[in-house]
Amino acid sequence: MTFTTRRKVRFQHCDPAGIVFYPRYFEMINSVVEDWFAEVVEHDFNRLHVESGTGVPTASIETRFHAPSRLGEVLEFRLTPLATGRTSLKLRVTAYRGDERRLTSDSTLVFVDLASGRPLPWPDAMRRHFAMDSQ
Amino acid sequence: MTFTTRRKVRFQHCDPAGIVFYPRYFEMINSVVEDWFAEVVEHDFNRLHVESGTGVPTASIETRFHAPSRLGEVLEFRLTPLATGRTSLKLRVTAYRGDERRLTSDSTLVFVDLASGRPLPWPDAMRRHFAMDSQ
Amino acid sequence: MTFTTRRKVRFQHCDPAGIVFYPRYFEMINSVVEDWFAEVVEHDFNRLHVESGTGVPTASIETRFHAPSRLGEVLEFRLTPLATGRTSLKLRVTAYRGDERRLTSDSTLVFVDLASGRPLPWPDAMRRHFAMDSQ
Amino acid sequence: MTFTTRRKVRFQHCDPAGIVFYPRYFEMINSVVEDWFAEVVEHDFNRLHVESGTGVPTASIETRFHAPSRLGEVLEFRLTPLATGRTSLKLRVTAYRGDERRLTSDSTLVFVDLASGRPLPWPDAMRRHFAMDSQ
C-alpha cells in the first residue's frame, strides 16, 4: 500500500553548502502528499480546497535527515499511511537515493472545514483509500 | 528548436488568492532552464556549478503574465534560444495551458567563472547546442 | 516619495553559488511592495485580499540584476511609483548595498476583483497615496 | 537565556487556505536560528559557511502546529537551547501571537566540516554561548 514517486534535487532546493536546504524537503514532502491525494485518494487538492472548502493541514511532523542530498540527484519518495483516526491521518514519508535513506518523516494531517477550521470526519469516499499495510 | 516540458501548479505555488504567486513562476522557469541545460545542452547544473566552478546567472529577465494559473493545472513550458553572444545567451520561455498563454519571459543568462564572477566565453561543447530557429 | 526598507540576505535566499537565487529576489520585491501598501497606501494585504476580496497581481515585471548579492549582506530596497492608470500602477524597485546597485525592477500591478479577476478602478483612498515624484 | 525575535506573516508564506503553508514556517524557524547564531553565538552564517567551510545542518526536527497563522499577523519567535553535545545542539523554537502558541519545534543541529560532511566538536568560542536555562 506504499505510494512511490520521484523528485529531482533542483538548483532551487540547494543551499550555499550545495545540499538540500531542509525547508525545501518539506515542499517536496507536501507535493508527494498532494500526488497521493490526487492519485490514490482520488481527491485532488483543487477539489479539496477550492471546490469543497476543506483542507488537510499538517498538525505535527517529525523528520530525521539521515544523509544530505545533492544537486541533480533523483530521490524516490515513498508514502505509507500508518493510522487513520476519525478526523486525522498519520503518514510516513521516506526518501531514498538508491539504497540510501535520506529522510524519514512522520506526520499527522487533519481533515478540516476551511471556513471554521474545525475537524471533520473523513468521508468514506476518502477513508476507503487509506488502507493500511496490514489490510 | 523549441524545448518543451510540463509543470503542475502545486499547492506550494499558490497564494491566498488561489493563483500562482509570481515568484513561484520564476522557480518554474529556472527549473525549465535547468532541464534544458541537462537535456539539450548536455551540461547539467551539477556538472556546471559543482564540478566545473562555473555558473549561468540571470542578468536580466522581462516577464508578462497574460492570465492567472490555478491549483492543479498542468502548464506546458516552451524554451527557445533567441540569440547567442560570446558570453551570454538570450532565451524565451512561454507557458501555456492548452491554447491559452499564461506567461512570456525573455531572459539573458551569462556564463561566468564562479570564483571571480567574470564572464567566460561559452565552450563550443555548449554553444553548438544553442541552435537558433533560423538555423 | 520614495519608500525605503531593508532586507538581509539570508541562507534561504542563497544558491549553491553562494549568491542570491534570483526567484528569491522576487519574494523580497513582493514583500517590499507589501510593506509599501501597508505603510504608505494604508491598505495592508490582509485587508485587501481577505477582507475586501481584491488583489494587486503583477501583470508584468522587468528586472536587471547589476551585481550579485551574498549571504549576510543587508540590502536597501527603494520603491517609487512611476505612473498611475485607472486600474493599474507602475512601480520601480531598486536594491542597493551601500552605493552599489544590485537590481532595478519595473513592474505593473493591476487592481482586481478576486472573484471575477476583472480590473477595478483604484479607490480614491488608495490612489491619493500613489503620489509621483513630480507632484 | 531565551532569544526572541519577530516575523510578520507575509503573502509569500500563505497558501490558498489563507494560512501559513507549513514549509514556510521552517524558513522562518531557520531564519530565527540564523539570527541567534549571528547575535548570540557571535558567528554569523556567512562566517560559518563561506569563510570557515563549516555548517550546522539540521539532523532532526519535530514540530507541532497548535493553531494556524494568518496573513499580516506578527509572530514572536523564541529560541532556547535545550542541550549541548560534543558536536550537536538541541534547540526549542516556539512561535506565539500574543498569548496563543502557534508552534513548538525541537531540532537537533550538528556542527560539520562542509567538505567532508563529518561532525566537528563545537569550538569553545561558540559553545560558551549555548548557555542552558539552568546555568
Side-chain angles (χ1 to χ4, degrees), chain C residues 3-67:
Chain C
F3 171 73
T4 298
T5 183
R6 287 160 194 277
R7 294 291 181 272
K8 189 175 176 181
V9 175
R10 292 186 168 283
F11 201 70
Q12 72 200 62
H13 301 129
C14 293
D15 68 17
I19 60 177
V20 173
F21 178 52
Y22 82 86
R24 309 294 170 228
Y25 273 132
F26 291 106
E27 295 184 47
M28 294 187 209
I29 290 170
N30 194 72
S31 77
V32 171
V33 172
E34 192 174 351
D35 282 353
W36 180 73
F37 267 93
E39 297 175 29
V40 176
V41 185
E42 299 177 1
H43 284 66
D44 66 52
F45 269 25
N46 185 56
R47 178 173 166 191
L48 264 181
H49 288 84
V50 180
E51 296 172 20
S52 308
T54 54
V56 284
T58 297
S60 66
I61 186 164
E62 186 178 338
T63 307
R64 280 165 291 147
F65 304 101
H66 309 292

Side-chain angles (χ1 to χ4, degrees), chain A residues 24 27 58-61 63 65, chain D residues 24 27 58-61 63 65:
Chain A
R24 308 293 171 229
E27 294 183 47
T58 297
S60 66
I61 187 163
T63 307
F65 303 101
Chain D
R24 308 293 171 229
E27 294 183 48
T58 297
S60 66
I61 188 163
T63 308
F65 303 101

Side-chain angles (χ1 to χ4, degrees), chain A residues 26 57-63 90 106-110, chain D residues 20 22 25-26 29 61-69 75 77 82 90-96 100-107:
Chain A
F26 291 106
T58 297
S60 66
I61 187 163
E62 185 178 337
T63 307
K90 194 166 177 181
D106 290 347
S107 60
T108 300
L109 311 183
V110 182
Chain D
V20 173
Y22 82 86
Y25 273 132
F26 291 106
I29 289 170
I61 188 163
E62 187 179 338
T63 308
R64 280 165 291 148
F65 303 101
H66 310 291
S69 299
L75 304 180
F77 280 81
L82 295 180
K90 194 167 178 181
L91 299 174
R92 169 161 292 179
V93 174
T94 55
Y96 286 83
E100 189 180 49
R101 193 187 287 207
R102 295 293 169 78
L103 67 81
T104 304
S105 185
D106 290 348
S107 61

Side-chain angles (χ1 to χ4, degrees), chain B residues 17 21-24 26-27 29-30 58-65 114, chain C residues 17 21-24 26-27 29-30 58-65 114:
Chain B
F21 177 52
Y22 83 86
R24 310 292 171 229
F26 291 105
E27 295 184 47
I29 289 169
N30 195 72
T58 297
S60 65
I61 187 163
E62 185 178 338
T63 308
R64 280 164 292 147
F65 304 101
L114 288 183
Chain C
F21 178 52
Y22 82 86
R24 309 294 170 228
F26 291 106
E27 295 184 47
I29 290 170
N30 194 72
T58 297
S60 66
I61 186 164
E62 186 178 338
T63 307
R64 280 165 291 147
F65 304 101
L114 288 183

Side-chain angles (χ1 to χ4, degrees), chain D residues 3-67:
Chain D
F3 171 74
T4 299
T5 183
R6 288 159 194 278
R7 294 291 181 274
K8 188 174 177 182
V9 176
R10 293 187 167 283
F11 200 70
Q12 72 200 62
H13 300 129
C14 294
D15 67 17
I19 61 177
V20 173
F21 177 52
Y22 82 86
R24 308 293 171 229
Y25 273 132
F26 291 106
E27 294 183 48
M28 294 187 210
I29 289 170
N30 194 73
S31 77
V32 171
V33 172
E34 192 174 354
D35 282 353
W36 180 73
F37 268 92
E39 297 175 29
V40 176
V41 185
E42 299 177 1
H43 284 66
D44 66 53
F45 269 24
N46 185 54
R47 179 174 166 190
L48 266 181
H49 288 83
V50 180
E51 296 171 20
S52 307
T54 55
V56 285
T58 297
S60 66
I61 188 163
E62 187 179 338
T63 308
R64 280 165 291 148
F65 303 101
H66 310 291

Side-chain angles (χ1 to χ4, degrees), chain A residues 7 13 17 25 40 48 96 135:
Chain A
R7 294 290 181 274
H13 300 129
Y25 273 132
V40 176
L48 266 181
Y96 286 83
Q135 294 184 300

